[in-house]
Amino acid sequence: MISLIVSTMGRVTEIGALFDSLLADQGAPFEVILVDQNADRRLDALVAEYAPRLMLRHLRSAEHGTGNGANAGRNLGLRHARGDILGFPDDDCVFPAGVLARVRAAFDADSRLAILTGPAAAPEGGLGSGRWNPESGGITLANVWTSVIEFNLWLRRPLALALGGFDEAMGPGARFGSAEGNDLVCRAMARGHVARYDFNLRIIHPDKRLTPEAVARAKRYGLGLGFALRRHRAPLGTWAPLIYRPLGGIGVSLLRGRLLHARYYAATFQGRLEGFLAPEARSLPEPGLMQAAP
């Protein structure tokens, strides 16, 4: 069985759209673990509506003594998951038909496969925003940065537990606001596990509009990527372009009079550089110490 762990705060309608897409994709057995980080009971009616049709479990973070943040929610769901394969959809994703069957078949066909990933798809078609590896194949320390997004990351449950789950100092709601999926994959590869990228395995996710809020978020996201690049000692030819590429974006945006874009690239550069230079902090449980819930 596949366990889909959805960590959420603030959204309701989008979760219903995700659940509808899952109901239309019955290609493999699955359960949904909805980790609710809201202070109110806004999701109760939604859970009551979908529980008769989905194998749905509703966990409230406040009742389990866990903090907020996407990774705290994911790790709570991980401890309660019963499937042998785990996925971590965002609460505003939509699954195209056939995704679950494709994931199940990939793991069943190769007992050595520990992690499977794919890119984001835009709602209007094509790839989602960001730079994506154009070729399917094995993930390495050089291409992991363009081969992983958390909502299209799949791994075997025993491995996730052995790694201690996601780093809760990374991801949305934390200081290092991104690259937690890249970090997890790098930690798995460092222990000799096989990770593979499937260019045609896609999950639909809305592209983020460029707004003043997005500019503020860009620094946090940059911090996460810079931190992960340094933590895992990415090759110079990999990390240097990722750190310094936003400088070109600043220049081009200023020449075109696109001041908001220039601010976005400046925040991205500042975050990536600060993250790369940030001191390491042990924010993970020791490998192997995360325990499944009884």
Side-chain angles (χ1 to χ4, degrees):
M1 181 171 67
I2 298 173
S3 293
L4 300 171
I5 299 166
V6 184
S7 181
T8 184
M9 178 184 288
R11 292 192 172 109
V12 178
T13 303
E14 295 90 343
I15 301 172
L18 168 62
F19 286 176
D20 287 338
S21 72
L22 293 174
L23 285 168
D25 185 5
Q26 299 290 335
F30 67 93
E31 67 171 352
V32 178
I33 301 175
L34 184 64
V35 183
D36 181 354
Q37 298 190 329
N38 295 292
D40 56 29
R41 311 291 303 199
R42 71 182 64 195
L43 294 181
D44 287 3
L46 182 80
V47 170
E49 177 185 354
Y50 283 93
R53 293 178 286 158
L54 287 173
M55 189 183 297
L56 175 61
R57 303 175 70 191
H58 182 201
L59 304 178
R60 290 179 54 81
S61 294
E63 296 172 0
H64 291 269
T66 62
N68 286 333
N71 286 341
R74 290 166 179 155
N75 287 344
L76 173 60
L78 163 59
R79 291 192 291 272
H80 286 79
R82 294 171 293 188
D84 60 313
I85 304 299
L86 307 178
F88 302 90
D90 279 3
D91 56 6
D92 55 353
C93 284
V94 175
F95 275 43
V99 165
L100 295 176
R102 191 180 186 108
V103 169
R104 182 78 266 173
F107 282 98
D108 288 348
D110 185 356
S111 62
R112 294 184 63 249
L113 180 65
I115 295 177
L116 180 68
T117 71
E124 63 274 11
L127 293 176
S129 59
R131 294 178 179 269
W132 295 106
N133 183 353
E135 297 183 1
S136 299
I139 298 177
T140 68
L141 196 56
N143 67 25
V144 65
W145 316 104
T146 56
S147 302
V148 176
I149 191 69
E150 290 74 25
F151 55 78
N152 200 357
L153 165 63
W154 309 86
L155 73 162
R156 298 190 188 272
R157 179 169 169 265
L159 171 59
L161 289 168
L163 291 172
F166 288 93
D167 186 340
E168 295 183 17
M170 302 179 75
R175 179 191 176 199
F176 299 103
S178 72
E180 67 272 26
N182 309 84
D183 172 73
L184 185 145
V185 174
C186 287
R187 287 189 279 122
M189 292 192 300
R191 299 178 69 176
H193 294 284
V194 175
R196 190 168 73 237
Y197 170 75
D198 181 352
F199 179 72
N200 294 308
L201 175 66
R202 303 184 184 184
I203 291 177
I204 299 168
H205 188 274
D207 289 331
K208 303 297 185 183
R209 294 187 303 112
L210 185 56
T211 63
E213 291 76 16
V215 171
R217 192 168 55 234
K219 182 178 179 181
R220 295 194 300 273
Y221 284 5
L223 279 163
L225 179 57
F227 180 70
L229 286 165
R230 200 283 310 283
R231 169 183 267 182
H232 297 289
R233 297 178 174 86
L236 174 64
T238 298
W239 70 254
L242 289 172
I243 295 293
Y244 292 109
R245 185 179 290 125
L247 293 176
I250 295 171
V252 171
S253 298
L254 289 175
L255 287 173
R256 294 178 177 176
R258 302 166 72 176
L259 298 184
L260 188 62
H261 288 73
R263 288 172 51 203
Y264 173 85
Y265 287 117
T268 298
F269 170 70
Q270 181 183 1
R272 289 181 183 180
L273 185 60
E274 287 186 15
F276 192 79
L277 298 175
E280 177 65 54
R282 184 65 193 175
S283 50
L284 288 162
E286 291 297 325
L289 291 186
M290 178 177 279
Q291 298 295 319

